[in-house]
Amino acid sequence: MDDIIRVAKAHDVDAIHPGYGFLSENAAFARKCADAGITFIGPKPEQLDMFGDKVTAKQVATDAGVSTIPGTKEPVASYQEAAEFGATHGFPIMLKAAMGGGGRGMRVVDKPEDLKEAFERASSEATQAFGSGEIYLEKLLTHPKHVEVQVIADQHGHTMHLFERDCSVQRRNQKMIEFAPAVALPQALRTEICNAAVKLMASVHYVNAATVEFLVEDGKYYFLEVNPRVQVEHTVTELITGIDIVQTQIKIAQGQDLYADIRLPKQDELTYNGAAIQCRVTTEDPANDFMPDTGTIVSSKLPGGNGVRLDVVRAFNGAVVTLYFDSLLAISCVHAAVLQPDARKMSRALTQFQIQGVKPNLPSLRHVSA
């Protein structure tokens, strides 16, 4: 953090966009930017603190009248407290790192005898990833859809949604494939979820971009968490709305009004066009239990064509993949008028990918998309 601030000041940088990595949700970094007179392109530090703590975030949702999954009101400090929760609410239950996200520090526990080991492992992983081993617990929904709503808000009190995404296709709590709009979601429920997300974020006078995540099961929705940043999957929302979310973030940080200055459509005038799909291409070997792979990319051929968007992270010749960074190589997105030709377009794009030197997860993506 200090090195980034030092380089920014040396080159008269007046604003920093933190991307969608760990610093994008780091309140300490946002405060360091403010102390240095640099604009942090994101929410206020106190809002990062609020939504960085999942227990606090859940209480905020409850206060806003948004339904939540039954769970602990405070982080639990011991296995004994976790066992009491399980005995009261029944199994299966979900353990989650109170201060984290991205699937780290999470465990599903199906029966009481598995709880002790799962609790210790989740707490240890949370400590390593986020500096805090605090764990909270929730009753596990067994067959939910994972639906998230893109929200954008300015400094003038305007909060709006840019519709929703279906992120149900996951592996080890990491999203693999995302759809926008959400698949097989009734229109009335879609509207209700999107309005709940706006209501929640407006209740805390949120500023900038955020994603409000929900679990949907049996026609009901439950608040899951808020990611107070732009997410990897924001690209599918951009494709169906035509709104550049990152550009909008920068303009909001400049103090511009969503409607008067940026000239976004009012909420009741906003529409989406067609359907979009995103696949995350990573260096994880499907033939070896998705273990991360390392090495140097010696050859790469990337897809293209009408309706194909490719955000390249490291899928280029000479890129070195190590164990010390995220495994993401590229983000492949497609857009079409309806979902079925969209899926065919994604299948074709995944077939066109050729990466040599590291083992990507392309075989599993091709299998799912087929």
Side-chain angles (χ1 to χ4, degrees):
M1 290 187 282
D2 291 336
D3 284 342
I4 293 172
I5 298 293
R6 175 179 55 78
V7 171
K9 293 182 71 173
H11 295 275
D12 297 322
V13 170
D14 62 359
I16 293 175
H17 190 296
Y20 43 62
F22 287 132
L23 287 185
S24 63
E25 296 185 77
N26 191 308
F29 182 60
R31 291 189 176 95
K32 283 179 179 287
C33 288
D35 292 343
I38 297 171
T39 298
F40 178 83
I41 301 175
K44 302 171 186 176
E46 55 267 30
Q47 292 173 337
L48 289 170
D49 281 330
M50 176 188 301
F51 293 118
D53 184 333
K54 288 184 172 60
V55 176
T56 300
K58 188 173 181 178
Q59 186 59 53
V60 170
T62 300
D63 293 343
V66 178
S67 60
T68 62
I69 303 169
T72 54
K73 293 184 178 181
E74 302 289 341
V76 297
S78 67
Y79 155 72
Q80 286 75 19
E81 291 181 70
E84 290 174 6
F85 177 86
T88 301
H89 294 278
F91 289 81
I93 61 175
M94 173 73 84
L95 312 183
K96 292 185 178 181
M99 302 302 294
R104 294 170 175 84
M106 294 178 64
R107 291 290 187 280
V108 172
V109 183
D110 293 312
K111 48 187 185 295
E113 52 266 35
D114 296 337
L115 179 58
K116 190 173 190 303
E117 181 182 0
F119 183 88
E120 292 171 351
R121 286 181 176 273
S123 182
S124 174
E125 188 175 310
T127 300
Q128 292 177 5
F130 311 112
S132 170
E134 291 189 325
I135 298 294
Y136 81 102
L137 306 122
E138 285 182 345
K139 176 67 178 173
L140 180 68
L141 302 181
T142 54
H143 297 94
K145 283 187 174 296
H146 190 133
V147 175
E148 59 186 31
V149 179
Q150 178 69 61
V151 174
I152 198 86
D154 63 20
Q155 300 175 26
H156 305 280
H158 303 130
T159 305
M160 65 183 298
H161 69 75
L162 305 183
F163 302 107
E164 80 296 333
R165 304 182 284 257
D166 187 321
C167 304
S168 302
V169 183
Q170 301 185 17
R171 184 190 58 76
R172 295 175 183 163
N173 301 310
Q174 295 285 340
K175 298 165 187 173
M176 291 177 58
I177 301 175
E178 294 90 15
F179 304 85
V183 177
L185 197 63
Q187 183 58 48
L189 185 58
R190 180 198 315 276
T191 300
E192 190 175 352
I193 291 172
C194 289
N195 289 343
V198 171
K199 178 182 178 183
L200 169 59
M201 303 312 284
S203 74
V204 295
H205 309 291
Y206 187 85
V207 174
N208 219 267
T211 300
V212 186
E213 303 198 3
F214 298 90
L215 295 181
V216 181
E217 189 173 80
D218 297 329
K220 298 180 181 179
Y221 67 91
Y222 305 91
F223 169 79
L224 181 62
E225 64 181 0
V226 171
N227 284 289
R229 56 178 170 85
V230 67
Q231 288 190 279
V232 178
E233 59 270 23
H234 77 280
T235 52
V236 288
T237 297
E238 291 184 336
L239 286 172
I240 66 168
T241 62
I243 295 171
D244 187 321
I245 295 172
V246 175
Q247 183 186 86
T248 303
Q249 283 188 286
I250 296 170
K251 290 180 177 180
I252 289 171
Q254 291 175 321
Q256 294 190 32
D257 186 293
L258 285 177
Y259 307 126
D261 302 313
I262 306 176
R263 299 189 178 279
L264 295 187
K266 296 290 181 66
Q267 187 72 81
D268 59 355
E269 299 171 349
L270 182 67
T271 59
Y272 61 82
N273 173 35
I277 304 174
Q278 180 192 101
C279 287
R280 303 187 192 189
V281 181
T282 64
T283 54
E284 296 172 309
D285 183 6
N288 188 26
D289 195 29
F290 290 93
M291 289 293 291
D293 195 32
T294 60
T296 300
I297 296 177
V298 297
S299 177
S300 65
K301 179 182 177 182
L302 306 179
N306 182 45
V308 176
R309 168 176 171 170
L310 194 66
D311 292 54
V312 176
V313 180
R314 286 179 296 171
F316 54 87
N317 294 356
V320 178
V321 180
T322 74
L323 288 173
Y324 306 108
F325 198 64
D326 193 277
S327 62
L328 188 64
L329 291 178
I331 303 164
S332 178
C333 296
V334 296
H335 180 238
V338 293
L339 187 61
Q340 190 172 3
D342 209 21
R344 290 197 297 266
K345 189 177 292 187
M346 177 59 80
S347 273
R348 184 170 65 250
L350 292 172
T351 301
Q352 291 174 348
F353 264 105
Q354 294 182 24
I355 297 174
Q356 296 180 350
V358 295
K359 296 175 181 177
N361 66 336
L362 286 166
S364 62
L365 292 175
R366 291 167 182 154
H367 175 74
V368 173
S369 67

